[in-house]
Amino acid sequence: MEYGGAEEKQQKTCSQEGMKTMRTVTLTKESTKDILENLLKRSPNHYGKFEDAVAEILKKVRKEGDRALFAYTKEFDKTEITAETIRVTEAEIQEAYDAVDPGLLEVIRKALVNIRSFHEKQKQNSWFSTTEEGTMLGQKVSPLKRVGVYVPGGKAVYPSSVLMNIVPAKVAGVDEIIMTTPPGKDGKVCPTTLVAAKEAGADAVYKVGGAQAVGALAYGTESIPKVDKIVGPGNIFVALAKKAVYGYVSIDSIAGPSEILVLADDTANPRYVAADLLSQAEHDELASAILITTSRELAEKVSREVDGFTEVLSRKDIIRKSLDNFGYILIAENMEEAIEAANEIASEHMEIVTENPFEVMMKVRNAGAIFIGPYSSEPLGDYFAGPNHVLPTNGTAKFFSPLSVDDFIKKSSIVYYSREALEKIHKDIEQFASAEQLTAHANSVAVRFENEDR
């Protein structure tokens, strides 16, 4: 990806100070606009050059089924899979349990309790209301029958995402949860990924990744059944494939790179703030880390702490590129201005570290997840607290919500009218239908009372 144009303009229009790891910018409407334009470069909608390749993969999977899956797995993952080996066996799962550190397994189980408990509070029930006139209206809530969960492989091993995608589906009552994840060159799935899948309740795990896995879940193959919905993060090919199959199946969202925005005043601990910004910057070179503060002194201290941490952290090269491209310290005139900018950016993760964080929280409209106070750092939500860490990115927190039990249910409206109830209002319906020139609609009601109306 090239960074020019808007970035150069930004350097002219923003009051940029120094050449530290994070640029410091005086917050104005123009600087906010420029930053938003820069952040939106990371959206999957800007990767049209890959769409043709993704379309070809999906076309081949739809036409050739398993044969295409095996060929693409050999090409991209450098390993052979067959109809006999594509599905993970119980023996492989047991082997994974033997390989995972018992201490980590205990932590996974503790996190599962919190995640399950949180999502159980989201469950919805069917409801019905009746009247004396002989009507009954309601809403029937039904879980989806079969859901596909995509889990990245390779260097990206995130058992926490396995838990976050499977648990709400399980709580919703989904009949069958199928997971796909790319195998390593040895033809095996990462042990922690397998253990997390088993603990969370996956019904089957298949060794296939990339756009071809999305195609298999969307269309079905000889080995992998078609699902009703696909959830889970992935690389740009996975994101574009999910976008392409939407309509054949439902999807959760098209995930973009990770983001964090910290709202802070002069009461914040600069060391904590710096550490939290870097917790997201280390994800990848497209991750975004932004501090908006009313304190220039805090800004300077955070900048120094960021420099110090970056030197000693294991993923410092990724962090530097992330901060160079999408890292900002924004200095606001007051907290109202800071909150307004934060709502415009609509970050995936927002931390509020101010003197009155709950008061500030009530004014925040747009954020995927909000972390309140100095001891609610973002990784608490990633791993353990319970709320889902699959969150809207790239400004979509303005209209999307975190993954939840709601994503795995559907609702049917229920309508019942007795003859007596319909008789009282049938002419109203006929008049409405006639006004729209839909005479068959009107007739559908009128025919039930044609003898009485003569």
Side-chain angles (χ1 to χ4, degrees):
M1 179 184 278
E2 294 180 4
Y3 301 97
E7 184 70 21
E8 293 168 6
K9 177 186 173 188
Q10 182 178 299
Q11 290 172 2
K12 294 174 184 176
T13 57
C14 299
S15 173
Q16 195 168 327
E17 304 158 8
M19 296 300 293
K20 298 175 181 177
T21 304
M22 292 189 74
R23 76 204 86 183
T24 301
V25 175
T26 299
L27 188 61
T28 65
K29 289 191 181 299
E30 187 173 2
S31 65
T32 301
K33 179 174 177 289
D34 290 339
I35 288 165
L36 286 170
E37 287 178 359
N38 191 38
L39 295 177
L40 287 173
K41 291 178 185 176
R42 307 168 313 135
S43 168
N45 292 325
H46 286 239
Y47 289 81
K49 62 183 178 181
F50 298 117
E51 286 182 347
D52 288 345
V54 168
E56 179 60 29
I57 292 171
L58 294 175
K59 179 181 177 183
K60 191 163 278 192
V61 170
R62 191 175 188 186
K63 182 180 179 181
E64 300 179 9
D66 276 358
R67 188 154 62 92
L69 293 187
F70 303 156
Y72 282 127
T73 301
K74 185 175 182 179
E75 179 182 352
F76 297 133
D77 300 306
K78 311 303 179 189
T79 190
E80 299 261 4
I81 57 169
T82 66
E84 289 71 38
T85 61
I86 189 172
R87 179 168 175 169
V88 172
T89 65
E90 285 299 320
E92 288 175 302
I93 293 173
Q94 187 54 56
E95 184 182 335
Y97 271 89
D98 294 339
V100 169
D101 178 86
L104 176 59
L105 178 57
E106 185 179 350
V107 171
I108 287 173
R109 287 172 173 167
K110 286 180 180 178
L112 263 173
V113 171
N114 295 340
I115 297 166
R116 191 177 293 115
S117 175
F118 179 85
H119 287 85
E120 281 174 347
K121 294 178 176 66
Q122 297 176 337
K123 289 180 72 172
Q124 295 190 43
N125 296 313
S126 301
W127 59 267
F128 304 93
S129 64
T130 59
T131 66
E132 292 179 356
E133 287 75 24
T135 70
M136 181 181 76
L137 303 177
Q139 185 171 268
K140 182 175 182 292
V141 176
S142 305
L144 302 183
K145 183 178 180 182
R146 184 184 292 131
V147 166
V149 175
Y150 184 90
V151 176
K155 295 179 182 177
V157 178
Y158 300 126
S160 59
S161 284
V162 177
L163 307 185
M164 293 293 182
N165 280 278
I166 292 177
V167 169
K170 202 74 179 172
V171 170
V174 172
D175 291 356
E176 189 177 1
I177 301 170
I178 292 171
M179 193 177 100
T180 65
T181 188
K185 291 180 181 178
D186 59 358
K188 296 183 178 181
V189 174
C190 173
T192 53
T193 298
L194 271 188
V195 166
K198 182 68 174 178
E199 291 290 321
D203 294 293
V205 179
Y206 292 92
K207 304 172 190 175
V208 60
Q212 60 271 25
V214 175
L217 292 169
Y219 309 130
T221 72
E222 296 89 335
S223 296
I224 299 177
K226 182 186 185 307
V227 302
D228 300 312
K229 186 166 189 171
I230 302 171
V231 301
N235 63 18
I236 188 60
F237 287 91
V238 171
L240 290 174
K242 286 171 69 177
K243 183 179 177 183
V245 301
Y246 179 65
Y248 293 98
V249 293
S250 181
I251 62 171
D252 50 351
S253 63
I254 303 171
S258 191
E259 307 164 343
I260 186 169
L261 186 151
V262 180
L263 269 176
D265 59 18
D266 57 4
T267 67
N269 183 316
R271 193 165 173 81
Y272 294 175
V273 172
D276 293 355
L277 291 170
L278 297 180
S279 72
Q280 296 309 291
E282 76 168 344
H283 266 295
D284 65 60
E285 296 168 9
L286 296 178
S288 168
I290 298 173
L291 166 63
I292 304 181
T293 181
T294 53
S295 169
R296 187 170 292 273
E297 182 181 356
L298 177 74
E300 292 170 354
K301 289 180 179 178
V302 169
S303 182
R304 287 196 294 271
E305 292 287 357
V306 164
D307 292 344
F309 277 132
T310 301
E311 286 302 312
V312 298
L313 291 169
S314 63
R315 296 169 68 89
K316 62 184 177 183
D317 290 339
I318 292 174
I319 289 171
R320 284 199 185 102
K321 288 177 181 176
S322 167
L323 296 181
D324 283 347
N325 293 322
F326 304 108
Y328 299 91
I329 296 176
L330 307 179
I331 300 177
E333 186 74 25
N334 51 55
M335 189 51 64
E336 285 67 32
E337 184 181 77
I339 294 169
E340 182 181 355
N343 279 327
E344 277 301 303
I345 294 169
S347 186
E348 176 189 19
H349 307 99
M350 179 185 292
E351 291 188 6
I352 302 175
V353 196
T354 62
E355 187 174 8
N356 300 303
F358 290 95
E359 181 182 325
V360 172
M361 180 268 291
M362 295 301 295
K363 298 175 182 178
V364 171
R365 179 184 292 270
N366 303 324
I370 302 172
F371 300 80
I372 299 173
Y375 299 103
S376 304
S377 65
E378 189 278 337
L380 177 67
D382 270 352
Y383 297 112
F384 208 78
N388 210 288
H389 79 198
V390 180
L391 303 167
T393 58
N394 278 111
T396 59
K398 290 180 179 178
F399 44 83
F400 279 145
S401 304
L403 191 72
S404 71
V405 170
D406 290 350
D407 286 286
F408 300 99
I409 61 171
K410 57 189 180 65
K411 302 167 186 175
S412 302
S413 298
I414 303 298
V415 180
Y416 166 78
Y417 266 58
S418 66
R419 177 182 175 81
E420 291 73 22
L422 183 61
E423 186 174 16
K424 290 181 180 178
I425 49 89
H426 78 94
K427 289 188 179 295
D428 294 335
I429 301 170
E430 291 164 33
Q431 183 178 353
F432 216 147
S434 297
E436 294 186 349
Q437 299 181 6
L438 296 175
T439 55
H441 279 63
N443 185 61
S444 172
V445 176
V447 71
R448 288 165 165 77
F449 303 99
E450 55 190 353
N451 293 329
E452 288 89 336
D453 292 342
R454 283 174 181 167

